[in-house]
Amino acid sequence: MVTLKEAVSKSALKEFVKFPFSLYKDSPYWVPPIINDELETFDKTKNPAFKNADAWFFLAYKGGKIVGRIAVIINNLEVKDQNLKKIRFGWFDFIDDVAVSKALLAKVAEIGKKHQLAYMEGPVGFSNLDKVGVLIEGFEHIGTMITWYNHAYYMKHYERLGFVKEKEYMENKFPARNADPALFTKLNSLVKRRYGLREINFTTTKEVMPMADQMFDLFNETYSKLSSFVPITEVQKAYFKKKYISFINPEYIKFIVDKEDKLIAFAIVMPSFSEALQKAKGKLFPFGIFHLLKAKKHSKDVIFYLIGIHPEYQNKGVTAIIFNEYYKTFTAKGIDMCYRTPELEENIAIKQMWKHFKPEVYKRRRTYRKDL
């Protein structure tokens, strides 16, 4: 028999965070989070997402042992402002037992119906900057710090329990050597001259901070038309600046501005922390921080995390400026492989942007939905 308990106390939330450590203890592909970092995500006093969202965290028990977990989320900006009657769920992990997954998803449905919502979708986080999607292809590849990894049986549970595909995402990779400068060097000069644009490169995090709010505003503008987009609030901007910007190599952040120094495009790349996080085993101290700092400085693999281009400048060749800057940085650092974060299957513009680099789709993931 499966029983559910809501994780409310700090000790229960710690068990919630640590459950995947046992579920994936033998997996060479699972990348553990930093436990304290994950706990902060679920802390209503620290994560500003809770100003516009409600969340519940549940653990499933069988025979006195934890066998599953799920986070149930209502994003009020989405429900009230966008009139999307959706209840979200994420951080959904479970042993290969349908009784467990069924009980956890039934709890999502129960809360959704109680709040007069129409359907449930997951796995997703609080916002578009959180992890998304259950892995359905590419189980033999190591995960990243910005995606969820899961066992192959997860998809079968969704489908057996009557869920249908809502969105599909692709993850691509390509060797850095595929970035032929002949494809963008000439266009880079032409586009800058035609539109009066210039690039801004950074050497310190301190230089990035004054322009970070502009970047988040542009992010909201760039992605607003994508399905399921929830804008970043003012409070979240401050939180993300503090939490993430200082973690990213400043030389991997590229800004493009117009004649008035207004930001019209940006890109963020991160070094791969996957192997460093595996070595850290969920803890920064005493040795985890050493592994992460080493990866930040020396990793030869990078992840294209975000690219945002103002709608007025899309399809005008601005990406040539971005690629030209990264080509110089990657050449100097001897970067080997480039990976991209999950991108919506229907996002044709993004496919066009990368096509000359001969990318390979190496993972696919999905969100599933079910009407209530």
Side-chain angles (χ1 to χ4, degrees), residues 145-264:
M145 71 178 293
I146 48 182
T147 54
W148 282 309
Y149 183 82
N150 56 265
H151 290 305
Y153 60 76
Y154 277 39
M155 180 173 66
K156 295 171 190 169
H157 283 240
Y158 281 103
E159 292 173 358
R160 185 169 167 184
L161 293 168
F163 283 75
V164 296
K165 179 180 106 170
E166 174 70 355
K167 301 180 194 75
E168 190 144 328
Y169 298 81
M170 299 176 302
E171 288 179 58
N172 291 265
K173 65 175 181 176
F174 59 88
R177 65 177 178 273
N178 283 12
D180 180 358
L183 295 168
F184 45 77
T185 304
K186 191 176 177 183
L187 184 59
N188 159 65
S189 304
L190 191 109
V191 171
K192 285 201 282 193
R193 273 200 315 271
R194 179 176 293 171
Y195 301 110
L197 306 178
R198 68 180 178 90
E199 71 281 352
I200 299 179
N201 287 296
F202 302 99
T203 53
T204 66
T205 303
K206 192 178 176 183
E207 294 171 328
V208 182
M209 288 301 186
M211 296 187 73
D213 282 351
Q214 278 191 64
M215 180 182 72
F216 288 122
D217 289 339
L218 184 53
F219 171 82
N220 282 343
E221 210 162 353
T222 304
Y223 291 91
S224 61
K225 290 185 174 62
L226 286 180
S227 58
S228 244
F229 180 78
V230 181
I232 298 169
T233 64
E234 293 299 318
V235 184
Q236 283 176 306
K237 285 180 198 174
Y239 177 73
F240 288 134
K241 272 195 292 189
K242 184 182 171 187
K243 188 172 181 180
Y244 295 117
I245 300 293
S246 59
F247 201 60
I248 301 166
N249 306 39
E251 66 271 24
Y252 285 165
I253 300 174
K254 308 294 182 185
F255 284 2
I256 314 296
V257 295
D258 65 11
K259 293 171 192 169
E260 280 78 45
D261 283 342
K262 184 188 172 190
L263 187 68
I264 61 98

Side-chain angles (χ1 to χ4, degrees), residues 20 42 71 74 98 105 123 130 145-147 163 168 230 242 273 291 296-297 300 306 318 327:
F42 305 139
I74 297 175
V98 175
L105 289 166
D130 286 322
M145 71 178 293
I146 48 182
T147 54
F163 283 75
E168 190 144 328
V230 181
K242 184 182 171 187
F273 290 104
H291 296 302
K296 184 177 180 180
K297 194 171 182 180
K300 298 303 178 191
L306 278 178
V318 173
Y327 177 77

Side-chain angles (χ1 to χ4, degrees), residues 43-91:
D43 188 331
K44 294 175 184 181
T45 66
K46 292 181 179 176
N47 186 349
F50 284 101
K51 292 192 181 296
N52 298 293
D54 298 299
W56 301 260
F57 309 98
F58 294 95
L59 287 165
Y61 292 81
K62 195 171 184 181
K65 186 182 174 186
I66 297 173
V67 289
R69 68 170 190 171
I70 199 163
V72 187
I73 301 162
I74 297 175
N75 187 310
N76 294 310
L77 291 175
E78 189 171 57
V79 174
K80 293 172 183 172
D81 297 357
Q82 300 176 359
N83 202 32
L84 273 177
K85 302 300 182 186
K86 173 171 90 180
I87 188 159
R88 296 168 162 242
F89 63 90
W91 289 273

Side-chain angles (χ1 to χ4, degrees), residues 253-285:
I253 300 174
K254 308 294 182 185
F255 284 2
I256 314 296
V257 295
D258 65 11
K259 293 171 192 169
E260 280 78 45
D261 283 342
K262 184 188 172 190
L263 187 68
I264 61 98
F266 73 90
I268 296 176
V269 163
M270 297 174 72
S272 174
F273 290 104
S274 299
E275 291 179 10
L277 285 164
Q278 286 181 331
K279 290 172 184 171
K281 297 185 169 86
K283 295 177 181 176
L284 281 179
F285 302 102

Side-chain angles (χ1 to χ4, degrees), residues 104-134:
L104 287 163
L105 289 166
K107 180 55 76 173
V108 183
E110 178 193 315
I111 294 171
K113 287 173 185 173
K114 186 180 172 184
H115 288 83
Q116 289 89 47
L117 299 175
Y119 69 99
M120 50 203 276
E121 182 189 355
V124 292
F126 291 91
S127 76
N128 302 75
L129 288 179
D130 286 322
K131 298 174 184 181
V132 67
V134 61

